[in-house]
Short mmCIF file of all heavy atoms in Angstrom, two decimals:
data_model
loop_
_atom_site.label_atom_id
_atom_site.label_comp_id
_atom_site.label_asym_id
_atom_site.label_seq_id
_atom_site.Cartn_x
_atom_site.Cartn_y
_atom_site.Cartn_z
N VAL A 1 60.86 67.83 -4.13
CA VAL A 1 59.62 68.57 -3.91
C VAL A 1 59.46 69.76 -4.84
O VAL A 1 58.33 70.22 -5.06
CB VAL A 1 59.46 69.03 -2.44
CG1 VAL A 1 59.32 67.84 -1.52
CG2 VAL A 1 60.60 69.92 -2.01
N ALA A 2 60.55 70.29 -5.41
CA ALA A 2 60.41 71.45 -6.30
C ALA A 2 61.67 71.64 -7.14
O ALA A 2 62.77 71.32 -6.69
CB ALA A 2 60.14 72.71 -5.50
N TYR A 3 61.46 72.17 -8.33
CA TYR A 3 62.54 72.60 -9.19
C TYR A 3 62.49 74.12 -9.23
O TYR A 3 61.44 74.69 -9.54
CB TYR A 3 62.37 72.01 -10.59
CG TYR A 3 63.42 72.49 -11.56
CD1 TYR A 3 64.72 72.02 -11.49
CD2 TYR A 3 63.11 73.42 -12.54
CE1 TYR A 3 65.69 72.46 -12.37
CE2 TYR A 3 64.07 73.87 -13.42
CZ TYR A 3 65.36 73.39 -13.33
OH TYR A 3 66.31 73.84 -14.19
N LEU A 4 63.58 74.78 -8.89
CA LEU A 4 63.59 76.24 -8.77
C LEU A 4 64.13 76.90 -10.03
O LEU A 4 65.25 77.40 -10.07
CB LEU A 4 64.43 76.65 -7.55
CG LEU A 4 64.03 76.03 -6.22
CD1 LEU A 4 64.97 76.46 -5.12
CD2 LEU A 4 62.59 76.39 -5.88
N GLU A 5 63.31 76.95 -11.05
CA GLU A 5 63.77 77.53 -12.31
C GLU A 5 63.88 79.05 -12.27
O GLU A 5 64.52 79.65 -13.13
CB GLU A 5 62.87 77.10 -13.47
CG GLU A 5 61.44 77.52 -13.37
CD GLU A 5 60.57 76.53 -12.60
OE1 GLU A 5 60.99 75.39 -12.37
OE2 GLU A 5 59.47 76.91 -12.21
N ASN A 6 63.28 79.72 -11.28
CA ASN A 6 63.34 81.18 -11.18
C ASN A 6 64.37 81.69 -10.18
O ASN A 6 64.40 82.88 -9.89
CB ASN A 6 61.96 81.73 -10.82
CG ASN A 6 60.94 81.46 -11.90
OD1 ASN A 6 61.26 81.51 -13.08
ND2 ASN A 6 59.73 81.14 -11.50
N ALA A 7 65.21 80.81 -9.66
CA ALA A 7 66.23 81.22 -8.69
C ALA A 7 67.23 82.16 -9.35
O ALA A 7 67.57 82.02 -10.52
CB ALA A 7 66.93 80.01 -8.11
N PHE A 8 67.71 83.15 -8.58
CA PHE A 8 68.72 84.08 -9.08
C PHE A 8 69.64 84.45 -7.92
O PHE A 8 69.38 84.10 -6.77
CB PHE A 8 68.07 85.32 -9.70
CG PHE A 8 67.28 86.16 -8.72
CD1 PHE A 8 67.86 87.24 -8.09
CD2 PHE A 8 65.96 85.86 -8.44
CE1 PHE A 8 67.14 88.01 -7.19
CE2 PHE A 8 65.22 86.61 -7.53
CZ PHE A 8 65.82 87.69 -6.91
N GLY A 9 70.72 85.15 -8.21
CA GLY A 9 71.67 85.53 -7.17
C GLY A 9 72.30 84.32 -6.50
O GLY A 9 72.57 84.33 -5.31
N ILE A 10 72.52 83.28 -7.27
CA ILE A 10 73.03 82.02 -6.74
C ILE A 10 74.53 82.11 -6.53
O ILE A 10 75.25 82.59 -7.41
CB ILE A 10 72.70 80.86 -7.69
CG1 ILE A 10 71.20 80.79 -7.93
CG2 ILE A 10 73.24 79.54 -7.16
CD1 ILE A 10 70.82 79.96 -9.15
N GLY A 11 74.98 81.68 -5.37
CA GLY A 11 76.41 81.67 -5.10
C GLY A 11 76.75 80.65 -4.04
O GLY A 11 75.87 80.13 -3.35
N TYR A 12 78.02 80.34 -3.93
CA TYR A 12 78.47 79.42 -2.90
C TYR A 12 79.92 79.71 -2.54
O TYR A 12 80.65 80.33 -3.31
CB TYR A 12 78.29 77.96 -3.33
CG TYR A 12 79.11 77.56 -4.54
CD1 TYR A 12 80.38 77.02 -4.40
CD2 TYR A 12 78.59 77.72 -5.82
CE1 TYR A 12 81.11 76.65 -5.51
CE2 TYR A 12 79.32 77.35 -6.92
CZ TYR A 12 80.58 76.82 -6.78
OH TYR A 12 81.30 76.46 -7.87
N GLU A 13 80.31 79.29 -1.34
CA GLU A 13 81.68 79.42 -0.86
C GLU A 13 82.12 78.07 -0.35
O GLU A 13 81.37 77.39 0.35
CB GLU A 13 81.78 80.45 0.25
CG GLU A 13 81.46 81.86 -0.19
CD GLU A 13 81.59 82.86 0.94
OE1 GLU A 13 82.32 82.58 1.91
OE2 GLU A 13 80.95 83.92 0.84
N GLN A 14 83.35 77.69 -0.69
CA GLN A 14 83.90 76.41 -0.26
C GLN A 14 85.24 76.64 0.45
O GLN A 14 86.29 76.24 -0.05
CB GLN A 14 84.10 75.50 -1.47
CG GLN A 14 82.82 75.14 -2.17
CD GLN A 14 83.08 74.37 -3.45
OE1 GLN A 14 83.87 74.76 -4.27
NE2 GLN A 14 82.38 73.25 -3.59
N PRO A 15 85.23 77.28 1.63
CA PRO A 15 86.49 77.53 2.32
C PRO A 15 87.14 76.23 2.80
O PRO A 15 86.44 75.29 3.19
CB PRO A 15 86.09 78.41 3.49
CG PRO A 15 84.63 78.18 3.68
CD PRO A 15 84.08 77.77 2.35
N LEU A 16 88.44 76.20 2.76
CA LEU A 16 89.19 75.03 3.20
C LEU A 16 89.01 74.83 4.71
O LEU A 16 89.08 75.79 5.47
CB LEU A 16 90.67 75.22 2.87
CG LEU A 16 91.59 74.04 3.10
CD1 LEU A 16 91.17 72.85 2.24
CD2 LEU A 16 93.02 74.42 2.80
N ASN A 17 88.74 73.61 5.12
CA ASN A 17 88.58 73.26 6.54
C ASN A 17 87.50 74.07 7.24
O ASN A 17 87.65 74.44 8.40
CB ASN A 17 89.90 73.40 7.28
CG ASN A 17 90.94 72.44 6.78
OD1 ASN A 17 90.62 71.33 6.37
ND2 ASN A 17 92.19 72.86 6.79
N SER A 18 86.43 74.37 6.54
CA SER A 18 85.34 75.13 7.13
C SER A 18 84.02 74.71 6.48
O SER A 18 84.00 73.97 5.50
CB SER A 18 85.58 76.63 6.91
OG SER A 18 84.64 77.38 7.62
N LEU A 19 82.94 75.17 7.03
CA LEU A 19 81.61 74.85 6.53
C LEU A 19 81.36 75.54 5.19
O LEU A 19 81.57 76.74 5.05
CB LEU A 19 80.57 75.31 7.55
CG LEU A 19 79.12 74.98 7.27
CD1 LEU A 19 78.92 73.47 7.30
CD2 LEU A 19 78.24 75.64 8.32
N TRP A 20 80.92 74.78 4.19
CA TRP A 20 80.56 75.35 2.90
C TRP A 20 79.20 76.02 3.03
O TRP A 20 78.31 75.54 3.76
CB TRP A 20 80.47 74.27 1.85
CG TRP A 20 81.76 73.65 1.45
CD1 TRP A 20 82.99 73.85 2.02
CD2 TRP A 20 81.97 72.73 0.39
NE1 TRP A 20 83.93 73.11 1.37
CE2 TRP A 20 83.34 72.41 0.37
CE3 TRP A 20 81.13 72.15 -0.55
CZ2 TRP A 20 83.88 71.53 -0.56
CZ3 TRP A 20 81.68 71.28 -1.46
CH2 TRP A 20 83.03 70.98 -1.48
N THR A 21 79.02 77.12 2.36
CA THR A 21 77.74 77.82 2.38
C THR A 21 77.30 78.16 0.96
O THR A 21 78.12 78.23 0.04
CB THR A 21 77.84 79.14 3.18
OG1 THR A 21 78.82 79.98 2.58
CG2 THR A 21 78.19 78.87 4.64
N ALA A 22 76.00 78.34 0.81
CA ALA A 22 75.43 78.72 -0.48
C ALA A 22 74.27 79.67 -0.22
O ALA A 22 73.72 79.71 0.88
CB ALA A 22 74.95 77.49 -1.24
N GLN A 23 73.93 80.43 -1.25
CA GLN A 23 72.78 81.33 -1.14
C GLN A 23 72.11 81.45 -2.49
O GLN A 23 72.73 81.23 -3.53
CB GLN A 23 73.20 82.72 -0.62
CG GLN A 23 74.12 83.50 -1.53
CD GLN A 23 75.57 83.10 -1.41
OE1 GLN A 23 76.00 82.54 -0.41
NE2 GLN A 23 76.34 83.38 -2.44
N PHE A 24 70.82 81.78 -2.45
CA PHE A 24 70.05 82.04 -3.67
C PHE A 24 68.85 82.87 -3.28
O PHE A 24 68.50 82.98 -2.11
CB PHE A 24 69.62 80.74 -4.36
CG PHE A 24 68.67 79.90 -3.58
CD1 PHE A 24 67.30 80.03 -3.74
CD2 PHE A 24 69.14 78.96 -2.68
CE1 PHE A 24 66.41 79.25 -3.01
CE2 PHE A 24 68.27 78.17 -1.95
CZ PHE A 24 66.90 78.32 -2.12
N SER A 25 68.23 83.46 -4.28
CA SER A 25 67.02 84.25 -4.07
C SER A 25 65.94 83.76 -5.02
O SER A 25 66.24 83.21 -6.08
CB SER A 25 67.29 85.73 -4.35
OG SER A 25 68.23 86.25 -3.44
N LEU A 26 64.70 83.98 -4.62
CA LEU A 26 63.54 83.68 -5.45
C LEU A 26 62.64 84.90 -5.48
O LEU A 26 62.56 85.63 -4.48
CB LEU A 26 62.73 82.51 -4.88
CG LEU A 26 63.30 81.11 -5.01
CD1 LEU A 26 62.46 80.12 -4.22
CD2 LEU A 26 63.36 80.70 -6.47
N PRO A 27 61.93 85.13 -6.57
CA PRO A 27 60.94 86.21 -6.56
C PRO A 27 59.89 85.95 -5.47
O PRO A 27 59.51 84.79 -5.24
CB PRO A 27 60.30 86.13 -7.96
CG PRO A 27 61.30 85.40 -8.80
CD PRO A 27 62.01 84.46 -7.87
N ALA A 28 59.44 86.99 -4.81
CA ALA A 28 58.47 86.84 -3.72
C ALA A 28 57.18 86.19 -4.17
O ALA A 28 56.53 85.48 -3.41
CB ALA A 28 58.19 88.19 -3.07
N ASN A 29 56.82 86.38 -5.43
CA ASN A 29 55.56 85.82 -5.92
C ASN A 29 55.73 84.44 -6.54
O ASN A 29 54.78 83.89 -7.10
CB ASN A 29 54.92 86.78 -6.93
CG ASN A 29 55.79 87.02 -8.15
OD1 ASN A 29 56.94 86.60 -8.21
ND2 ASN A 29 55.25 87.74 -9.12
N ASP A 30 56.90 83.85 -6.43
CA ASP A 30 57.13 82.50 -6.95
C ASP A 30 56.43 81.50 -6.03
O ASP A 30 56.69 81.48 -4.82
CB ASP A 30 58.63 82.20 -7.01
CG ASP A 30 58.96 80.92 -7.76
OD1 ASP A 30 58.23 79.92 -7.58
OD2 ASP A 30 59.95 80.91 -8.50
N PRO A 31 55.54 80.67 -6.55
CA PRO A 31 54.82 79.71 -5.70
C PRO A 31 55.74 78.68 -5.03
O PRO A 31 55.36 78.08 -4.03
CB PRO A 31 53.84 79.04 -6.66
CG PRO A 31 54.35 79.31 -8.02
CD PRO A 31 55.14 80.57 -7.96
N LYS A 32 56.94 78.51 -5.54
CA LYS A 32 57.85 77.52 -4.97
C LYS A 32 58.60 78.03 -3.74
O LYS A 32 59.31 77.28 -3.10
CB LYS A 32 58.80 77.03 -6.04
CG LYS A 32 58.02 76.29 -7.13
CD LYS A 32 58.88 75.79 -8.21
CE LYS A 32 58.00 75.11 -9.26
NZ LYS A 32 58.75 74.77 -10.43
N VAL A 33 58.40 79.30 -3.39
CA VAL A 33 58.98 79.83 -2.15
C VAL A 33 58.52 78.98 -0.97
O VAL A 33 59.29 78.69 -0.05
CB VAL A 33 58.61 81.32 -1.95
CG1 VAL A 33 58.94 81.78 -0.54
CG2 VAL A 33 59.30 82.18 -2.98
N GLU A 34 57.28 78.55 -1.01
CA GLU A 34 56.70 77.76 0.09
C GLU A 34 57.36 76.39 0.24
O GLU A 34 57.26 75.76 1.28
CB GLU A 34 55.19 77.60 -0.13
CG GLU A 34 54.53 78.95 -0.26
CD GLU A 34 53.22 79.02 0.47
OE1 GLU A 34 52.77 78.00 1.02
OE2 GLU A 34 52.66 80.12 0.48
N GLU A 35 58.03 75.91 -0.81
CA GLU A 35 58.70 74.60 -0.75
C GLU A 35 60.09 74.68 -0.14
O GLU A 35 60.70 73.66 0.15
CB GLU A 35 58.80 74.00 -2.16
CG GLU A 35 57.48 73.80 -2.85
CD GLU A 35 56.57 72.81 -2.15
OE1 GLU A 35 57.04 71.99 -1.35
OE2 GLU A 35 55.36 72.86 -2.40
N CYS A 36 60.60 75.88 0.07
CA CYS A 36 61.94 76.08 0.63
C CYS A 36 61.83 76.18 2.15
O CYS A 36 61.94 77.26 2.74
CB CYS A 36 62.59 77.32 0.04
SG CYS A 36 62.83 77.19 -1.73
N LYS A 37 61.61 75.06 2.77
CA LYS A 37 61.38 75.01 4.22
C LYS A 37 62.69 74.79 4.96
O LYS A 37 63.63 74.21 4.42
CB LYS A 37 60.40 73.88 4.54
CG LYS A 37 59.05 74.10 3.90
CD LYS A 37 58.10 72.98 4.19
CE LYS A 37 56.78 73.28 3.49
NZ LYS A 37 55.84 72.19 3.62
N PRO A 38 62.76 75.25 6.21
CA PRO A 38 63.97 75.06 7.01
C PRO A 38 64.38 73.58 7.07
O PRO A 38 63.54 72.70 7.21
CB PRO A 38 63.58 75.57 8.40
CG PRO A 38 62.50 76.55 8.13
CD PRO A 38 61.74 76.00 6.95
N LEU A 39 65.66 73.37 6.90
CA LEU A 39 66.34 72.07 6.95
C LEU A 39 66.12 71.20 5.72
O LEU A 39 66.69 70.12 5.63
CB LEU A 39 66.00 71.31 8.23
CG LEU A 39 66.34 72.04 9.53
CD1 LEU A 39 65.98 71.18 10.73
CD2 LEU A 39 67.80 72.45 9.57
N TYR A 40 65.31 71.65 4.76
CA TYR A 40 65.24 70.95 3.49
C TYR A 40 66.58 71.11 2.78
O TYR A 40 67.41 71.92 3.17
CB TYR A 40 64.11 71.52 2.62
CG TYR A 40 62.75 70.92 2.89
CD1 TYR A 40 62.43 70.31 4.09
CD2 TYR A 40 61.75 71.01 1.93
CE1 TYR A 40 61.18 69.78 4.31
CE2 TYR A 40 60.49 70.48 2.15
CZ TYR A 40 60.21 69.86 3.33
OH TYR A 40 58.96 69.34 3.55
N TYR A 41 66.79 70.34 1.73
CA TYR A 41 68.05 70.36 0.99
C TYR A 41 67.87 71.03 -0.37
O TYR A 41 66.81 70.91 -0.98
CB TYR A 41 68.54 68.92 0.74
CG TYR A 41 68.81 68.14 1.99
CD1 TYR A 41 67.83 67.35 2.56
CD2 TYR A 41 70.06 68.17 2.60
CE1 TYR A 41 68.07 66.61 3.71
CE2 TYR A 41 70.32 67.43 3.74
CZ TYR A 41 69.32 66.66 4.30
OH TYR A 41 69.56 65.94 5.44
N VAL A 42 68.91 71.69 -0.82
CA VAL A 42 68.94 72.28 -2.16
C VAL A 42 70.19 71.77 -2.86
O VAL A 42 71.29 71.82 -2.31
CB VAL A 42 68.96 73.82 -2.11
CG1 VAL A 42 69.08 74.40 -3.50
CG2 VAL A 42 67.72 74.35 -1.43
N GLU A 43 70.01 71.27 -4.06
CA GLU A 43 71.13 70.78 -4.86
C GLU A 43 71.55 71.89 -5.82
O GLU A 43 70.71 72.43 -6.55
CB GLU A 43 70.69 69.54 -5.65
CG GLU A 43 71.78 68.90 -6.45
CD GLU A 43 71.28 67.62 -7.11
OE1 GLU A 43 70.11 67.59 -7.56
OE2 GLU A 43 72.06 66.68 -7.17
N ILE A 44 72.83 72.23 -5.81
CA ILE A 44 73.34 73.31 -6.65
C ILE A 44 74.34 72.77 -7.66
O ILE A 44 75.20 71.96 -7.32
CB ILE A 44 73.98 74.42 -5.79
CG1 ILE A 44 72.90 75.08 -4.93
CG2 ILE A 44 74.69 75.45 -6.66
CD1 ILE A 44 73.39 76.20 -4.06
N PHE A 45 74.20 73.23 -8.89
CA PHE A 45 75.14 72.91 -9.97
C PHE A 45 75.83 74.18 -10.40
O PHE A 45 75.25 75.26 -10.38
CB PHE A 45 74.39 72.32 -11.17
CG PHE A 45 74.03 70.88 -11.01
CD1 PHE A 45 72.93 70.49 -10.27
CD2 PHE A 45 74.80 69.89 -11.60
CE1 PHE A 45 72.59 69.16 -10.12
CE2 PHE A 45 74.47 68.55 -11.46
CZ PHE A 45 73.37 68.20 -10.72
#
């Protein structure tokens, strides 16, 4: 549904035997903020 070329502050944690987490930020005026809906998926490289 969207490619987030303006994402920043990207990070992730991969603790052993625990839930992996990731985070990122988008500028408030980025039109793709609306595509980041709860339970959607984000692919991180």
Side-chain angles (χ1 to χ4, degrees):
V1 295
Y3 176 74
L4 305 177
E5 62 273 345
N6 296 323
F8 64 95
I10 303 163
Y12 63 92
E13 295 181 22
Q14 297 174 309
L16 187 62
N17 296 327
S18 188
L19 184 65
W20 290 8
T21 60
Q23 64 279 338
F24 65 92
S25 296
L26 286 172
N29 61 352
D30 190 319
K32 296 180 182 172
V33 167
E34 304 221 356
E35 301 297 340
C36 298
K37 297 179 181 175
L39 302 181
Y40 275 22
Y41 299 92
V42 176
E43 184 176 38
I44 294 181
F45 281 80

